[in-house]
């Protein structure tokens, strides 16, 4: 059993709590406040009162609202990205158990963000190569992508979003090996 087998979708959500809009599934016993939205299949509900712990069937506490599960990241989205990450993750590049887990979770985040980006591009997707500068109106953003990443046909793929760049920063030192010379000879 490897260290990544110990990880769960909940570990992913805990690490990336602020990065993705997770499906707001109702948590029994949790207090909700006016305007908080929850999902109980097949509907979304908005809280009409503060400190709301009532079941969604209580019309005085909850109101059905128009929303879609497609606006949120579900556990199945994370599991799909997880499977993609498993197919490309090299356990020997992680280092310690904690470093390995962190690198793997960033790889999952890369695939999740990449899949969401593909989905937002429609049936044909719309993925471009890594940009170093983007300008929209009076707002501009630029960042540096190391040349070593961009020139590698494999590493450049991970430079398409910030999670991939973070993943590369975590594993890159382990991609560069040391060479040692040992005296000896060989027989003809």
């Amino acid at each position: 059993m490897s260290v990544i087998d110990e990880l769960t979708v909940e570990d992913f959500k805990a690490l990336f709590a602020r990065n993705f809009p997770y499906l707001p599934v109702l948590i029994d016993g949790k207090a909700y406040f006016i305007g908080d939205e929850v999902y109980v299949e097949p509907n979304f509900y908005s809280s009409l009162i503060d400190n709301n712990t009532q079941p969604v069937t209580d019309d005085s506490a909850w109101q059905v609202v128009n929303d879609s599960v497609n606006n949120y990241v579900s556990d199945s989205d994370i599991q799909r990205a997880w499977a993609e990450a498993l197919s490309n993750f090299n356990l020997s590049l992680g280092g310690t158990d904690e470093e390995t887990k962190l690198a793997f979770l960033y790889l999952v985040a890369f695939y999740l963000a990449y899949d969401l980006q593909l989905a937002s591009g429609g049936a044909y997707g719309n993925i471009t190569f890594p940009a170093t500068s983007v300008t929209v109106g009076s707002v501009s953003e630029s960042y540096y992508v190391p040349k070593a990443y961009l020139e590698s046909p494999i590493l450049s793929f991970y430079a398409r979003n910030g999670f991939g760049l973070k993943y590369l920063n975590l594993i890159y030192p382990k991609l560069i090996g040391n060479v040692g010379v040992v005296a000896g000879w060989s027989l003809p």
Side-chain angles (χ1 to χ4, degrees):
M1 182 165 140
S2 73
V3 296
I4 59 174
D5 293 332
E6 300 169 10
L7 293 170
T8 66
V9 168
E10 295 308 315
D11 293 325
F12 178 87
K13 288 180 178 179
L15 182 60
F16 298 105
R18 298 175 60 141
N19 298 94
F20 297 100
Y22 301 111
L23 188 63
V25 177
L26 178 73
I27 300 171
D28 288 332
K30 179 180 176 183
Y32 292 93
F33 297 89
I34 294 174
D36 285 350
E37 192 173 299
V38 298
Y39 177 72
V40 177
E41 193 173 357
N43 295 314
F44 285 87
Y45 299 86
S46 180
S47 178
L48 300 174
I49 60 174
D50 283 334
N51 293 320
N52 189 354
T53 57
Q54 300 302 313
V56 294
T57 54
D58 183 344
D59 292 342
S60 65
W62 296 98
Q63 174 182 336
V64 176
V65 293
N66 183 19
D67 204 344
S68 171
V69 293
N70 294 330
N71 295 330
Y72 299 96
V73 171
S74 66
D75 286 0
S76 63
D77 294 325
I78 298 168
Q79 290 162 348
R80 183 183 63 245
W82 198 286
E84 293 169 358
L86 277 173
S87 70
N88 287 311
F89 190 71
N90 183 342
L91 278 169
S92 64
L93 295 178
T96 67
D97 286 356
E98 291 307 310
E99 291 169 340
T100 300
K101 289 176 184 179
L102 187 62
F104 178 75
L105 290 174
Y106 267 97
L107 185 58
V108 173
F110 164 77
Y111 278 109
L112 179 59
Y114 188 79
D115 291 345
L116 293 171
Q117 188 179 4
L118 275 174
S120 70
Y124 301 104
N126 188 17
I127 296 294
T128 59
F129 284 96
T132 57
S133 180
V134 176
T135 303
V136 177
S138 63
V139 178
S140 87
E141 174 188 34
S142 55
Y143 54 93
Y144 173 74
V145 178
K147 189 176 179 181
Y149 296 170
L150 294 177
E151 290 180 348
S152 166
I154 294 173
L155 299 183
S156 64
F157 175 70
Y158 298 109
R160 293 175 186 257
N161 67 43
F163 299 110
L165 288 172
K166 181 78 177 255
Y167 167 70
L168 287 174
N169 284 331
L170 292 169
I171 68 157
Y172 193 72
K174 291 155 182 87
L175 295 175
I176 303 167
N178 295 319
V179 176
V181 178
V182 177
W185 63 90
S186 66
L187 299 174

